[in-house]
Amino acid sequence: MFIRNFNQQITHRPLRNDTYKETRVAYLKVLLFWIILFSPTVRRLGGNDFVIYILSSTIPIFFLFNKWIDLYSSLGLFFLLCILVFTWPNPSYLYMSVPLVPFVFLRYFKFSILQFDRPLTVIFIALLISYALIQKIHGFFDFELEWFNSSLAKAGKGHLAFEEIRPMSFLAGTPELTFLLSLISTYYFYIKPRIFLFLFFLVLFILSGTRGLILSFLIGLLFSLVDRKKFHNKARRIIYPLVAGSLVYFLLFIFAEAFQSVSGDYGRLSVFGTFYARANIFIEFFSNFSWLDFLYLNATSDGFIFDNVIITLSAKLGIYGLLFYFILLYRLPSNPAANLVISTYVGYSLYADVVYFFYFSVMLVAFTISSSRYYETTLLKRHGI
């Protein structure tokens, strides 16, 4: 008995230093995750300064680099960069290449588990929510308005199109804030079930005002509850939101007058026109798009914003882009939390060109990988390993 305990003490001593080092590295990686997400604030503080814009846009990308890469994602990135060389100065392929970087490196980046109830993360979430509330109540500050009106802001005018303030806090935009709140809601629903915190962040998520994300998250949550076993299938977590989202598209188009008559005045959440416009664009595009066009790259001229990944990939990369996009999502880990987040991401891809959203990719891959590690360690503990 003494020998066994003595051996345990000897074998466990070195692990204490290893555990300390792992904990320190874990904190640094979580800190790095939040620095990447908060980097757009530096861009806005720089105003119309092109140098600050370039530095604040590129440095977060290099933060992700490491020696381990994902083969399939790397080949896709190389393919896009090759197309970029031959189609320059067409910027579409450059904008598509950058969001691929997290898929290339983050899969083996070994982010520690994104535990949203840990002290360091709680501090960042508190800062995030506090600043979002300040923007909602006070309005945007002068440096933010200057950024929106600058030539560097790609989607800045969208924040000024409505009288209602769309808070974005320290993040790149309102969709990024809404998506992050959906991750936190998922965390408190599946990973660390806390009904009060789940409802709290769900309310903030809805109030943030990105309608496509709200609809996609609720559809994904419904599928994950009603068809729990089948929804954990990697293919179904992609197919279900696509089918449900497409059904919503056609319902909006067919019953447009009925929806407009019953929708009340709930601010931007009840604005029906942009939903109807997306349905119209979807139908009009594919009515003029032949099946042979799927075999060609850049089938339509550059400059169009479709707000729909299916259309954008069909127009720019044909069937090759669509297949690669769904293979990337399919290869992400499968667990209840990850599947809900991926379903939300796929559903929102029908309402926005998420293939251009770098910070979406960071959050998506980091959360799915870390949630997978959480479930693995939980199963190991249950089996006493």
Side-chain angles (χ1 to χ4, degrees):
M1 185 71 176
F2 170 75
I3 294 175
R4 187 175 66 184
N5 288 337
F6 181 73
N7 287 336
Q8 284 179 347
Q9 289 174 7
I10 292 176
T11 55
H12 284 180
R13 261 179 207 163
L15 291 177
R16 289 178 183 173
N17 291 330
D18 292 342
T19 304
Y20 171 73
K21 289 179 182 178
E22 287 178 4
T23 304
R24 186 175 61 182
V25 171
Y27 270 104
L28 287 174
K29 288 181 177 178
V30 170
L31 181 63
L32 185 61
F33 173 78
W34 288 103
I35 289 174
I36 292 172
L37 291 191
F38 280 33
S39 61
T41 303
V42 178
R43 198 180 309 160
R44 290 192 285 270
L45 286 169
N48 215 18
D49 192 311
F50 185 71
V51 175
I52 294 177
Y53 173 80
I54 291 296
L55 290 175
S56 61
S57 300
T58 55
I59 290 176
I61 300 172
F62 289 105
F63 281 164
L64 303 176
F65 280 38
N66 62 85
K67 61 182 180 180
W68 300 106
I69 63 173
D70 180 68
L71 177 62
Y72 294 96
S73 306
S74 303
L75 290 175
L77 180 60
F78 178 74
F79 176 65
L80 279 177
L81 292 176
C82 288
I83 298 174
L84 179 65
V85 171
F86 290 108
T87 60
W88 187 263
N90 187 333
S92 292
Y93 300 111
L94 177 63
Y95 296 148
M96 286 183 187
S97 302
V98 174
L100 262 183
V101 175
F103 286 92
V104 173
F105 293 104
L106 267 182
R107 188 167 181 81
Y108 298 100
F109 193 62
K110 294 186 178 178
F111 261 118
S112 62
I113 298 169
L114 290 177
Q115 295 175 305
F116 290 115
D117 56 347
R118 293 295 182 181
L120 179 63
T121 308
V122 168
I123 291 171
F124 279 105
I125 293 174
L127 288 171
L128 188 85
I129 294 173
S130 299
Y131 192 47
L133 291 174
I134 290 172
Q135 288 178 332
K136 189 72 176 176
I137 297 169
H138 173 270
F140 293 118
F141 291 94
D142 290 340
F143 74 92
E144 292 167 328
L145 293 173
E146 183 181 349
W147 164 252
F148 292 148
N149 289 307
S150 73
S151 59
L152 298 174
K154 297 288 188 300
K157 302 296 187 296
H159 289 275
L160 304 176
F162 295 88
E163 293 182 4
E164 182 183 358
I165 296 294
R166 300 181 63 199
M168 56 187 177
S169 191
F170 299 101
L171 306 184
T174 304
E176 283 78 6
L177 175 62
T178 309
F179 189 55
L180 181 58
L181 290 172
S182 75
L183 300 187
I184 302 173
S185 301
T186 303
Y187 179 84
Y188 284 117
F189 186 78
Y190 272 123
I191 296 179
K192 294 287 183 67
R194 301 286 187 275
I195 186 63
F196 174 76
L197 289 172
F198 167 70
L199 293 174
F200 173 73
F201 284 105
L202 185 65
V203 170
L204 292 178
F205 165 72
I206 294 173
L207 290 176
S208 62
T210 305
R211 298 158 300 167
L213 268 171
I214 295 169
L215 181 63
S216 302
F217 179 79
L218 294 177
I219 289 174
L221 187 62
L222 179 64
F223 278 127
S224 67
L225 293 175
V226 174
D227 199 5
R228 182 171 297 185
K229 290 184 179 179
K230 292 182 179 179
F231 188 68
H232 292 170
N233 179 284
K234 283 189 171 186
R236 286 190 175 92
R237 70 185 182 183
I238 297 173
I239 295 171
Y240 281 3
L242 283 177
V243 172
S246 300
L247 181 62
V248 169
Y249 258 69
F250 287 109
L251 287 175
L252 289 172
F253 186 79
I254 296 170
F255 301 105
E257 294 184 4
F259 279 115
Q260 281 183 313
S261 63
V262 298
S263 61
D265 185 12
Y266 301 105
R268 190 174 180 275
L269 286 176
S270 63
V271 175
F272 179 78
T274 51
F275 265 137
Y276 181 72
R278 284 181 172 91
N280 231 334
I281 291 172
F282 185 86
I283 295 169
E284 184 177 348
F285 176 82
F286 282 108
S287 64
N288 298 317
F289 195 79
S290 71
W291 292 107
L292 288 176
D293 289 333
F294 279 109
L295 301 177
Y296 298 102
L297 303 177
N298 213 23
T300 62
S301 59
D302 192 49
F304 290 101
I305 298 174
F306 297 109
D307 277 337
N308 186 307
V309 165
I310 307 299
I311 300 177
T312 299
L313 290 177
S314 300
K316 300 300 176 185
L317 295 170
I319 190 67
Y320 321 106
L322 287 171
L323 286 174
F324 178 69
Y325 174 70
F326 291 123
I327 288 172
L328 273 186
L329 296 175
Y330 182 86
R331 295 182 69 250
L332 288 173
S334 178
N335 59 68
N339 291 342
L340 176 55
V341 169
I342 293 169
S343 173
T344 303
Y345 179 87
V346 172
Y348 186 56
S349 69
L350 295 173
Y351 303 96
D353 290 326
V354 291
V355 287
Y356 297 136
F357 294 1
F358 168 72
Y359 300 98
F360 260 66
S361 298
V362 172
M363 289 186 279
L364 173 72
V365 183
F367 184 85
T368 53
I369 298 297
S370 63
S371 64
S372 177
R373 294 183 64 196
Y374 170 81
Y375 280 101
E376 287 173 2
T377 53
T378 303
L379 288 174
L380 289 174
K381 287 178 181 177
R382 285 178 183 174
H383 291 87
I385 302 174

